[in-house]
């Protein structure tokens, strides 16, 4: 568990540690702090159980963090519809969650990467902002360079460049594309991220260029991609994703959506 996630869990622990599952779920139902309450259940209260479930499956090279990202996205989607379907008269929440997690782990056995499927429908954003965010989701999911895609996913999961360099080095050692006595540097990770975001920005701008003007006005189209401000997403923060000390400030709709939003703004500002 990286520092951003651990810092967020520690912050949420103060609010939820003395509450029962039913009380935390009730907060999800009310909706005001749904993302935070769900995050605490997954990464605070039931992380060990979920790790055990993950380890019981035969995965390819997808790791536990990728599994947890997909699980959080799945449970947060459509205003936490899966959580709202929980019936305490039929099973405990622990049993209900374990069943969902086992089914997801089974489905992910042959996947190399998670698939981003963020749900922005319940967020207070203009339609253009939502459209731009969805374009970035699709662009990351389909990005052709696997190393770059890995870096983008790990950034959304809250990892620093140095941590990503170590993980990607191990991944490359295992598949034989990097000598075992060599290690990737954090500067290489920064370069991969920067190049990928610039390429995605150009692609998104070209798409908007075609839909808005026809061909030939790329620079104007770039200006149409909005930077998401606090006025666009209430309660989201603007601190750097790389600042572990600011982890407790990544609270709001969903930690991963907030980190994704930071990546989106980094794409525009880079």
């Amino acid at each position: 568990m990286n520092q951003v996630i651990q810092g967020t869990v520690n912050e949420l622990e103060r609010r939820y540690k003395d509450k029962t599952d039913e009380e935390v779920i009730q907060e999800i139902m009310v909706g005001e702090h749904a993302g935070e309450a769900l995050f605490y259940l997954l990464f605070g209260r039931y992380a060990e159980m979920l790790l055990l479930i993950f380890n019981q499956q035969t995965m390819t090279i997808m790791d536990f963090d990728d599994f947890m990202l997909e699980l959080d996205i799945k449970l947060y989607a459509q205003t936490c519809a899966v959580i709202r379907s929980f019936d305490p008269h039929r099973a405990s929440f622990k049993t209900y969650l374990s069943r969902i997690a086992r089914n997801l782990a089974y489905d992910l056995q042959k996947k190399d990467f998670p698939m981003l499927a963020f749900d922005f429908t319940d967020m207070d954003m203009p339609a253009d902002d939502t459209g731009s965010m969805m374009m970035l989701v699709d662009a990351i999911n389909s990005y052709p360079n696997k190393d770059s895609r890995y870096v983008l996913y790990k950034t959304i999961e809250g990892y620093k460049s140095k941590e990503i360099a170590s993980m990607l080095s191990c991944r490359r050692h295992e598949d034989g594309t990097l000598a075992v006595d060599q290690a990737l540097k954090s500067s290489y990770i920064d370069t991969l991220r920067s190049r990928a975001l610039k390429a995605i920005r150009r692609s998104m701008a070209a798409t908007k260029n075609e839909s808005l003007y026809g061909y030939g006005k790329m620079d104007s189209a770039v200006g149409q991609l909005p930077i998401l401000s606090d006025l666009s997403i209430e309660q989201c923060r603007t601190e750097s994703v790389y600042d572990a000390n600011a982890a407790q400030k990544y609270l709001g709709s969903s930690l991963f959506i907030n980190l994704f939003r930071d990546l989106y703004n980094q794409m525009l500002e880079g």
Side-chain angles (χ1 to χ4, degrees):
M1 190 178 296
N2 64 58
Q3 290 179 311
V4 172
I5 290 178
Q6 186 60 64
T8 304
V9 170
N10 292 342
E11 182 72 14
L12 294 174
E13 186 81 15
R14 304 172 189 175
R15 185 191 305 171
Y16 294 115
K17 67 178 181 179
D18 295 327
K19 293 187 177 183
T20 65
D21 285 354
E22 289 71 21
E23 289 173 325
V24 179
I25 291 170
Q26 183 58 38
E27 191 157 325
I28 295 175
M29 299 293 191
V30 172
E32 184 177 356
H33 300 289
E36 298 169 18
L38 173 61
F39 188 89
Y40 173 75
L41 288 175
L42 297 183
F43 290 87
R45 187 163 296 178
Y46 288 114
E48 291 185 5
M49 180 193 77
L50 294 170
L51 177 59
L52 178 62
I53 290 172
F54 174 82
N55 287 336
Q56 289 172 343
Q57 300 296 326
T58 304
M59 291 291 174
T60 51
I61 54 177
M62 180 178 287
D63 59 31
F64 181 61
D65 297 298
D66 299 333
F67 166 71
M68 291 293 280
L69 174 62
E70 286 231 15
L71 182 60
D72 184 83
I73 290 174
K74 178 182 178 67
L75 296 182
Y76 187 71
Q78 298 178 327
T79 321
C80 301
V82 175
I83 301 297
R84 292 175 180 277
S85 297
F86 167 63
D87 184 352
H89 300 293
R90 300 183 62 181
S92 67
F93 179 73
K94 181 178 181 179
T95 299
Y96 181 72
L97 177 61
S98 66
R99 186 185 312 124
I100 294 171
R102 290 180 194 281
N103 289 339
L104 178 62
Y106 178 80
D107 292 340
L108 298 180
Q109 285 186 82
K110 296 183 178 180
K111 291 181 64 175
D112 291 342
F113 291 102
M115 289 294 289
L116 303 179
F118 290 124
D119 183 5
F120 305 113
T121 56
D122 65 336
M123 302 180 70
D124 185 19
M125 291 193 300
D128 285 348
D129 290 7
T130 302
S132 295
M133 294 275 274
M134 292 307 302
M135 287 176 68
L136 180 56
V137 167
D138 292 340
I140 292 176
N141 283 335
S142 60
Y143 199 75
N145 185 289
K146 288 188 176 182
D147 283 357
S148 297
R149 200 185 334 162
Y150 181 83
V151 169
L152 295 176
Y153 285 138
K154 291 304 173 186
T155 300
I156 294 169
E157 290 171 9
Y159 283 97
K160 300 178 183 180
S161 294
K162 184 177 180 180
E163 295 171 315
I164 299 173
S166 177
M167 292 186 291
L168 185 56
S169 293
C170 292
R171 190 182 178 103
R172 295 272 300 270
H173 290 156
E174 292 176 0
D175 64 22
T177 59
L178 182 68
V180 293
D181 61 343
Q182 295 181 345
L184 302 175
K185 297 181 179 180
S186 58
S187 58
Y188 175 70
I189 301 303
D190 293 337
T191 298
L192 283 181
R193 185 190 300 108
S194 176
R195 288 177 177 173
L197 292 177
K198 287 178 181 178
I200 290 172
R201 177 180 177 176
R202 288 194 298 268
S203 176
M204 290 174 59
T207 299
K208 283 184 173 286
N209 190 44
E210 292 176 27
S211 62
L212 291 172
Y213 307 109
Y215 295 99
K217 294 189 178 180
M218 178 72 73
D219 292 339
S220 297
V222 171
Q224 298 295 323
L225 298 177
I227 293 180
L228 304 182
S229 66
D230 290 335
L231 296 177
S232 298
I233 307 179
E234 187 177 0
Q235 296 182 347
C236 283
R237 303 297 191 257
T238 59
E239 285 79 1
S240 169
V241 65
Y242 307 108
D243 184 0
N245 294 325
Q248 70 275 12
K249 298 181 181 179
Y250 280 103
L251 303 176
S253 56
S254 163
L255 171 70
F256 297 121
I257 286 181
N258 293 342
L259 293 172
F260 178 80
R261 168 185 176 271
D262 282 347
L263 189 67
Y264 175 91
N265 283 339
Q266 184 181 343
M267 174 188 70
L268 299 185
E269 295 166 354

